[in-house]
Amino acid sequence: MSAVLDTGHFAQRLVRRTPVLAIASGKGGVGKTWFSVTLAHALARAGRRILLFDGDLGLANVDIQLGLAPRLDLAAVVGGRSGMEEAITPYPAGGFDILAGRSGSAGLVALPPEAVDRLARELARTAQAYDTVVLDLGAGVERTAWRLAGASTACLVLCTDEPTSLTDAYAFIKLSLRANPTRDLRVVVNQAASRGDGERTYRIIAKACDSFLKITPPLAGIVRRDRRVHESVRAQSPVLTRHPRTPAAEDVTAIAAEIARELGRDGS
Amino acid sequence: MRLRTFSALRLAEAMAAVRAELGPDAVIISTEADERTGEARVIAAVEEAETEDAFLDHILFPPRDRPGRAHLSDTVANALDRTGAPARLAGRLIALARASEAADPALALAAALDERFAFAPLGVASDRPIALIGPPGAGKTVTIAKLAARAALAGRSVGLITTDTARAGGVEQLGAFAQAIGIGAAAAEEGPALTAALDLVRARDLRLIDTTGMNPLAEDELRRLAEILHAAGAEPVLALPAGLDPLDACEIARVAAVLGARRLIATRLDTVRRHGALLAAADGADLAVAELGFAPEILDGLAPAAPMGLARMVLQSHSASEFHPQARAADGSP
Ligand SMILES: Nc1nc2c(ncn2[C@@H]2O[C@H](COP(=O)(O)OP(=O)(O)O)[C@@H](O)[C@H]2O)c(=O)[nH]1
Ligand SMILES: Nc1ncnc2c1ncn2[C@@H]1O[C@H](COP(=O)(O)OP(=O)(O)O)[C@@H](O)[C@H]1O
Ligand SMILES: [Mg+2]
Ligand SMILES: [Mg+2]
């Protein structure tokens, strides 16, 4: 077992695989898409070449949150009408690139496993032109999201203080670890009333993981609830453009800085 | 994982509520006192392996032909319609199944059932004696034998008592089962005799009391049953046979609830194709589903109730000629 893992690490170094950060939640509506967009934006502002990949194949909305109308999207790639590079839309205002998903396309959710695996391989190849890929995953129990998450380097699991969000995030962590016990999973508490509240929420999920899974996923950060988030989502413009100093923007920027530091240290 | 918050004036009360609702395996996630009211607040969690394992199996080893979403909710809706469950309940379950976002009909329905119903198997040990109550012919005596056999096989000590002394053969039937399992059984008419009989088996892990068939419309009979339950300090559990009219089943369940029942055992599930009565009764009287009886055999005819088993039963019983939740759950085929 460990020999296999070692070879994997070694191979990874050789081909210098671009890190893929998956953003998962298990439950919809916790702010996955907003967080993905803002994290991509913050990493881009820190000088990294970023691709934001909308992997929420059921209810894609990166393009909607940013007010874009991309000519090509993931559906075109899956349908063989476009290559993946071709389907990428630049987003100059944010300084990063986007591969749009497809809103309300049930066909994408029901992709057969082989097609998803092909997609994951193509993503890994396309990613080589970037420093980091941010992957917005769909509802965590969808098989498609699951397989895409399996192709990621690290996974940020978003949750709020709502019990359903906590149990879903826990289920996602549990299943992820079962599929790959060495997976790099970290918790982000979103929509926290305060830092203290966010820490309390993190302790709940950490304690549950510790009790039942004997593992404690680290805290990647706390993002405070902030009405400017909603305002900028409604205005279809990124919060970091409109209100770079608002609490939620600062929180995500801090998380991005920490991630950028870590990725830089790994030399990828 | 199930996560719940419990509030009470004192910590000990909140802790007791945790144990009562989530059982002995509950883990305390946090305890705190409300700054304003001083109320104790406990967050606790339990693992529920079955549903999550099913999710995992499904995701890692998906069936080759996964139905699309529209098809999925149609399958669930058709199956629920066929059960004959009251339209409002069926509609609610269909909505929950859709909202679950689960990727196959059995999982979606299981998620809906899990949300709407409580599942509370009886296990092989209990502090309180357990009395099976229910209409004549419900399967009370046979189910007691099944429960006793299961506990005995698990190495537990069992005490059997029947209060069904009036009906011809009532005592003999239980006695025959008891002998087959290799344990004793006692008969006790009521009150003092019952207390004495219970006292003799005080130290047993599981004490089971068989009762005379109850007529939900006969008040004097119900009063007598209530006295027996009270004298025994027993937890009444309803044995509900399949095949009743859903509204009748609901009425029986409500009467059982008034007598103190909190859970039911569904019996004779193998004898009908439509299980609306079971759903209506559990829902209408707010009874948890404890066990599923699906064969007359003592050794192999009872399974602890769980959302997945019940979902498969509802989905399959219209076409399948034979139903065995354990076998189906084990081979994992959808
Ligand atoms: N097919 C089938 N028959 C059962 C089941 N449970 C009980 N029975 C039968 O139902 C009849 C009545 O059972 P009994 O235990 O005497 O009912 P009681 O009057 O409630 O004690 C008997 O013939 C049992 O064999 C079951 O799960 N499946
Ligand atoms: N930190 C936050 N503060 C306030 N509102 C937030 C925050 N994060 C997300 N939201 C709100 O939650 C809504 C849902 O977010 P979205 O990114 O679409 O969730 P998901 O992708 O998880 O379904 C957004 O419209 C946004 O207004
Ligand atoms: Mg989204
Ligand atoms: Mg009997």
Side-chain angles (χ1 to χ4, degrees):
Chain A
M1 184 69 198
S2 72
V4 175
L5 285 178
D6 287 342
T7 326
H9 272 304
F10 188 58
Q12 208 163 320
R13 294 252 166 80
L14 279 183
V15 300
R16 272 190 21 133
R17 285 234 322 240
T18 299
V20 175
L21 295 175
I23 315 299
S25 71
K27 174 179 181 286
V30 301
K32 236 180 358 271
T33 301
W34 171 77
F35 180 82
S36 305
V37 167
T38 311
L39 182 69
H41 197 173
L43 286 168
R45 283 161 66 118
R48 296 180 73 88
R49 290 170 303 162
I50 302 297
L51 173 66
L52 173 56
F53 185 106
D54 192 345
D56 192 341
L57 304 182
L59 211 76
N61 46 21
V62 163
D63 49 329
I64 295 171
Q65 283 204 12
L66 293 175
L68 303 173
R71 200 173 46 82
L72 288 170
D73 60 21
L74 204 51
V77 179
V78 172
R81 278 171 282 123
S82 160
M84 195 175 269
E85 278 95 349
E86 232 184 302
I88 288 170
T89 309
Y91 179 58
F96 57 96
D97 286 354
I98 290 166
L99 182 55
R102 177 62 160 314
S103 290
S105 165
L108 279 186
V109 181
L111 274 185
E114 308 80 58
V116 184
D117 288 345
R118 205 174 325 118
L119 202 61
R121 278 197 303 276
E122 248 179 284
L123 171 59
R125 195 175 40 72
T126 308
Q128 285 173 353
Y130 296 88
D131 292 325
T132 306
V133 175
V134 177
L135 170 59
D136 175 10
L137 289 175
V141 291
E142 279 301 340
R143 194 206 318 156
T144 304
W146 187 256
R147 291 182 96 91
L148 282 178
S152 65
T153 320
C155 196
L156 302 185
V157 185
L158 239 69
C159 65
T160 69
D161 65 357
E162 281 179 39
T164 47
S165 166
L166 287 167
T167 48
D168 286 358
Y170 168 81
F172 184 89
I173 292 170
K174 175 177 173 180
L175 298 188
S176 299
L177 289 173
R178 196 100 65 86
N180 174 2
T182 63
R183 182 162 291 167
D184 183 346
L185 294 162
R186 309 167 192 204
V187 175
V188 174
V189 180
N190 190 24
Q191 308 195 32
S194 66
R195 286 227 170 77
D197 261 31
E199 273 157 21
R200 198 164 323 134
T201 301
Y202 168 69
R203 279 200 298 273
I204 291 177
I205 196 131
K207 176 75 202 258
C209 291
D210 183 49
S211 304
F212 298 128
L213 310 176
K214 310 288 173 244
I215 201 165
T216 312
L219 178 67
I222 291 164
V223 183
R224 285 165 290 176
R225 183 179 302 133
D226 186 340
R227 64 186 169 74
R228 294 227 156 105
V229 169
H230 188 64
E231 181 201 308
S232 59
V233 168
R234 226 175 17 202
Q236 295 189 315
S237 83
V239 72
L240 281 177
T241 306
R242 280 172 83 86
H243 305 290
R245 304 236 65 89
T246 202
E250 286 194 332
D251 293 341
V252 179
T253 303
I255 293 173
E258 176 60 32
I259 288 172
R261 205 167 53 77
E262 225 179 287
L263 293 176
R265 194 180 53 219
D266 284 355
S268 26
Chain B
M1 177 184 68
R2 211 141 57 91
L3 189 71
R4 289 218 31 203
T5 303
F6 298 83
S7 294
L9 278 179
R10 288 180 310 121
L11 187 60
E13 288 165 29
M15 289 297 197
V18 170
R19 298 290 169 226
E21 291 218 17
L22 298 183
D25 295 334
V27 165
I28 306 301
I29 299 291
S30 81
T31 59
E32 52 190 60
D34 190 293
E35 289 136 23
R36 280 179 304 113
T37 63
E39 263 195 356
R41 195 161 51 231
V42 175
I43 300 179
V46 277
E47 269 292 61
E48 295 172 306
E50 199 203 354
T51 339
E52 282 164 11
D53 286 350
F55 269 128
L56 185 72
D57 282 351
H58 180 77
I59 289 162
L60 296 183
F61 313 103
R64 289 218 76 72
D65 288 312
R66 178 176 155 190
R69 259 163 202 273
H71 177 66
L72 179 149
S73 45
D74 281 357
T75 308
V76 171
N78 287 339
L80 280 169
D81 282 344
R82 265 194 307 265
T83 62
R88 246 200 6 216
L89 174 59
R92 195 68 210 111
L93 288 170
I94 292 165
L96 286 170
R98 285 200 178 120
S100 77
E101 295 189 21
D104 107 345
L107 282 175
L109 181 56
L113 293 170
D114 198 15
E115 182 87 26
R116 183 78 184 192
F117 296 96
F119 293 83
L122 290 180
V124 292
S126 167
D127 290 340
R128 270 175 95 188
I130 287 171
L132 254 54
I133 64 173
K140 296 180 292 298
T141 306
V142 168
T143 303
I144 290 220
K146 290 173 180 174
L147 290 166
R150 181 166 78 190
L153 281 176
R156 298 308 187 113
S157 56
V158 184
L160 292 186
I161 297 170
T162 179
T163 63
D164 188 13
T165 50
R167 198 174 57 84
V171 177
E172 290 72 16
Q173 192 194 359
L174 189 69
F177 284 137
Q179 204 173 12
I181 302 167
I183 55 182
E189 184 103 30
E190 51 199 320
L194 181 56
T195 328
L198 274 169
D199 211 42
L200 283 178
V201 292
R202 198 175 40 226
R204 308 277 166 92
D205 294 324
L206 187 65
R207 290 168 298 163
L208 299 166
I209 303 174
D210 195 6
T211 64
T212 311
M214 110 189 164
N215 176 349
L217 307 179
E219 262 188 50
D220 51 335
E221 278 184 33
L222 294 177
R223 204 165 299 121
R224 180 168 170 268
L225 182 54
E227 278 161 16
I228 288 177
L229 295 171
H230 180 75
E235 177 194 342
V237 174
L238 172 64
L240 185 74
L244 297 174
D245 170 82
L247 291 180
D248 285 338
C250 203
E251 184 164 7
I252 291 170
R254 289 207 170 116
V255 167
V258 170
L259 288 168
R262 292 289 166 266
R263 34 188 179 172
L264 66 80
I265 297 177
T267 63
R268 301 167 57 162
L269 292 168
D270 56 322
T271 61
V272 302
R273 294 191 198 284
R274 294 160 8 113
H275 301 296
L278 159 58
L279 301 178
D283 192 59
D286 211 7
L287 296 182
V289 186
E291 307 279 338
L292 305 178
F294 52 85
E297 281 82 32
I298 303 304
L299 280 182
D300 196 25
L302 192 72
M308 213 48 199
L310 190 54
R312 290 203 168 105
M313 192 178 86
V314 168
L315 286 171
Q316 292 182 340
S317 56
H318 68 278
S319 58
S321 57
E322 131 185 299
F323 162 64
H324 195 309
Q326 276 174 328
R328 296 249 157 78
D331 75 24
S333 60

